[in-house]
Structure formats: C-alpha cells, structure tokens
Amino acid sequence: QLQLVESGGGLVQPGGSLRLSCAASGFRLDLYAIGWFRQAPGKEREVLSCINSIDGSTSYADSVQGRFTISSDNTKNTVYLQMNSLKPEDTGVYYCAAVTPWLSGAVCYKQYDYWGQGTQVTVSS
C-alpha cells in the first residue's frame, strides 16, 4: 500500500525551528515530485515548497522563501522541510504529497496523487 506519513510537528515559540519529515512506504520518493502544503485555520490549503525528482530542483512560496528548506534523503525514503524563524502565521496543518513528475525544473504541480495525513504546527508564545 502506498503511504506518506508526516511527522515532526508541534508547538514552537516565534523565531523557533522545526523539521518536518515525510516518509514514504510502498514506493520510492526519489521517483516522485514532492510538495509540502499548509492549511491554516479558516484558509485554503497553500503550497509551500516542492522538490522535483527529475533534476532535484526546488521551489518555495514567497511566504517561506529564505526560512524553509526542502531536502530529501533517498536512503531513508524521506523528504524533509526544515522550518526556521517561524512566525505565528506559519501555524497550520502541514501535508506532504507526491506525484509522478513530467516536467523538469523548479515546479509545483497542480494535482498530486498521494497525500499524507498531516502534522500540526503551532507557533505561539
């Protein structure tokens, strides 16, 4: 069974850091394009960062550029999202998703085939 599992969320103070993990089972993440998404309370889900398995390109939303870093560890079949300088507006449920890529370059796709269950991140003092 193909499955994505996020972990690493929690409560952190403003300015703090967290590292989220997206672990895959049943398929190889290095053959897929991976996206990290956030859904804040009362808001639509937004894409934060993507990594493309075709060429390793990464992309970031303006809201997280310079603070978040996406990376992958193929030996662990896991993609990470390192989040630094966290702000209260970063609060939300974070999801990872996977899709078979067909474009090279730093792109995020409009549709993803596999989704994790999400992990809660709360930034508050």
Side-chain angles (χ1 to χ4, degrees), residues 29-100:
L29 273 184
D30 62 337
L31 298 180
Y32 287 76
I34 307 300
W36 278 101
F37 298 78
R38 175 174 68 207
Q39 185 155 23
K43 295 186 177 180
E44 292 187 355
R45 185 173 60 200
E46 61 175 324
V47 60
L48 302 177
S49 180
C50 302
I51 186 165
N52 192 341
S53 60
I54 290 178
D55 57 8
S57 297
T58 59
S59 60
Y60 298 92
D62 289 344
S63 60
V64 304
Q65 178 77 48
R67 299 188 299 123
F68 290 11
T69 303
I70 191 170
S71 63
S72 62
D73 185 338
N74 295 335
T75 64
K76 296 183 178 179
N77 209 24
T78 300
V79 171
Y80 302 98
L81 186 67
Q82 177 67 43
M83 307 187 296
N84 299 327
S85 303
L86 284 162
K87 306 174 182 180
E89 51 264 42
D90 292 318
T91 294
V93 180
Y94 284 66
Y95 300 89
C96 64
V99 65
T100 301

